[in-house]
Amino acid sequence: FQKPGTAFALGRFMKTAFLVLGSVKTHGGEVRRLQVMAKQEFKAAVVLAKPGAGEGDLGVADCAVGCDLMPPQGTAMALLNKCHGAGFKIIGVLPLAQEAAGLGALIASALGLPGAEVVAAGETGTGPIRHSWDHCPSHSWITAMESLAESPSVATQWVVPAPVAGGSRRRIGCAGLAAARSMGWQGGATHSVLGGIVKLCPGDMRIWDLAMHAYPRLNPWVSWMRWATGLEVPFKLEAENPAHCYAGLRLVRAPQSGVLMRLPRAVMGRDEVLSWGYTKAVGDMVTAEPRTREDFIGYVMMKSFDYEQLCLDLRRMAEHVSARIEVGVAPRLIQEAQTIRDHRH
């Protein structure tokens, strides 16, 4: 979508423009301010790229382009082609939303423009895959967390350790350490989500369970308890106690909204399955569109020597369990479930 008179034929003349990357929550007033300054200071236009862009965005930008904020190289090139096809030469990339940092880094790099370092911009803690720095007194590691697309703050999957390269591992570790220290941390337990919340306690008990499965000779619980009593706890670097597998956990959602009628007693038997369980009971109201962690009905925990395979196995197993769950949707069943809940309380 673009305003009349802003398109120019390729090969004859292209209008200079700033590429502003936004999210569905980007405020129009912010984009409009950039548009005014781009015109005054640089005689340039503003191309707004964000998910769900439409004609309504033309009030604050010269051109609006719909795009996915995931940062694969193909997404970056497709967006650049759209801009060029509309007659715009990009002279600067401005990520106006943290979710767009990775995509912005790729585009800026492709154009030779200033921008964040590419692998690094994706470490900032937003989007479907986030990272946290987790620490117990005897060891620290990086956890990969997958979130709900519609609720990025709600994690649905955790994998320990995150498959990040040495340079990225150091950056994430330094950022997590600095954030924890700013909260008064002095060596105990901490869970520091990059660009997000910092907890001076285990972020989630199951994250430590995953670490126990991933790292040999690691018991974060015992090391934490020893530290709390003032005993000396030897700290092991990653090189001294490397992970021997990936361990992950994925939450299970209901197949449809309604009343939970039946839960399968066992999941598909596989050596890779470490544990599984339910957080809802028969008779509870459930939803197929979770917005909080409490909306999920259970979990599966698995291990693998390959990260991509583990993520695939977790997704398939969660879908397998979900498919065997029975949910009733009749109004009478919903009313009965409400009555049971009222009696419980």
Side-chain angles (χ1 to χ4, degrees):
F1 301 91
Q2 59 191 95
K3 291 181 177 179
T6 58
F8 298 82
L10 287 173
R12 296 178 57 191
F13 181 76
M14 296 184 72
K15 186 172 179 63
T16 57
F18 286 91
L19 176 61
V20 175
L21 300 174
S23 70
V24 292
K25 297 181 181 179
T26 295
H27 194 276
E30 298 173 339
V31 182
R32 174 59 179 164
R33 180 181 298 179
L34 290 173
Q35 183 190 36
V36 171
M37 289 188 286
K39 183 177 181 180
Q40 291 178 344
E41 302 295 330
F42 300 91
K43 293 183 174 56
V46 161
V47 176
L48 173 62
K50 70 173 189 178
E55 293 184 4
D57 295 303
L58 294 182
V60 297
D62 299 282
C63 180
V65 180
C67 75
D68 185 356
L69 294 183
M70 289 293 287
Q73 189 71 38
T75 300
M77 297 312 299
L79 180 53
L80 279 177
N81 289 336
K82 288 182 181 180
C83 293
H84 292 166
F88 293 100
K89 177 184 178 181
I90 303 303
I91 61 172
V93 182
L94 306 173
L96 200 55
Q98 186 58 55
E99 300 94 313
L103 180 59
L106 280 174
I107 294 176
S109 176
L111 295 176
L113 295 171
E117 180 182 352
V118 178
V119 183
E123 299 163 3
T124 50
T126 58
I129 301 297
R130 299 181 295 157
H131 293 116
S132 69
W133 181 69
D134 292 276
H135 178 94
C136 70
S138 64
H139 202 78
S140 64
W141 63 89
I142 297 171
T143 304
M145 303 181 295
E146 182 176 329
S147 303
L148 285 172
E150 58 273 26
S151 300
S153 62
V154 180
T156 61
Q157 177 175 294
W158 299 259
V159 175
V160 175
V164 291
S168 295
R169 187 182 299 113
R170 286 189 294 273
R171 283 190 292 268
I172 295 174
C174 289
L177 178 61
R181 283 179 171 169
S182 70
M183 298 290 290
W185 176 78
Q186 296 187 34
T190 186
H191 171 74
S192 180
V193 179
L194 270 69
I197 192 171
V198 177
K199 296 181 179 180
L200 302 186
C201 61
D204 185 285
M205 296 302 185
R206 295 197 182 107
I207 291 180
W208 280 23
D209 289 341
L210 295 176
M212 286 186 65
H213 288 292
Y215 292 97
R217 303 181 302 280
L218 172 62
N219 189 321
W221 312 103
V222 172
S223 71
W224 191 28
M225 295 170 73
R226 288 178 59 87
W227 174 85
T229 62
L231 293 175
E232 182 179 353
V233 181
F235 183 82
K236 291 185 179 295
L237 299 173
E238 181 77 18
E240 298 176 293
N241 187 32
H244 66 153
C245 73
Y246 293 99
L249 179 147
R250 188 175 182 88
L251 300 181
V252 177
R253 66 172 67 196
Q256 61 182 340
S257 300
V259 181
L260 192 56
M261 303 297 294
R262 190 183 74 86
L263 292 167
R265 294 193 176 187
V267 300
M268 182 170 54
R270 289 180 55 177
D271 293 338
E272 296 87 352
V273 177
L274 298 172
S275 69
W276 60 279
Y278 299 113
T279 55
K280 298 288 186 182
V282 171
D284 286 345
M285 292 291 297
V286 296
T287 176
E289 299 180 354
R291 291 293 182 270
T292 69
R293 185 170 175 179
E294 289 69 31
D295 291 334
F296 291 88
I297 62 176
Y299 73 93
V300 291
M301 185 186 296
M302 305 180 70
K303 66 177 180 179
S304 177
F305 295 109
D306 181 81
Y307 174 79
E308 297 296 338
Q309 185 62 50
L310 175 60
C311 292
L312 180 61
D313 289 344
L314 285 168
R315 189 174 300 109
R316 287 176 173 173
M317 185 61 73
E319 292 173 351
H320 169 77
V321 175
S322 179
R324 299 176 62 197
I325 293 170
E326 293 184 11
V327 176
V329 295
R332 177 182 61 81
L333 294 174
I334 296 176
Q335 180 61 45
E336 290 178 357
Q338 181 65 53
T339 302
I340 292 174
R341 285 203 315 277
D342 290 343
H343 286 164
R344 287 177 182 171
H345 295 11

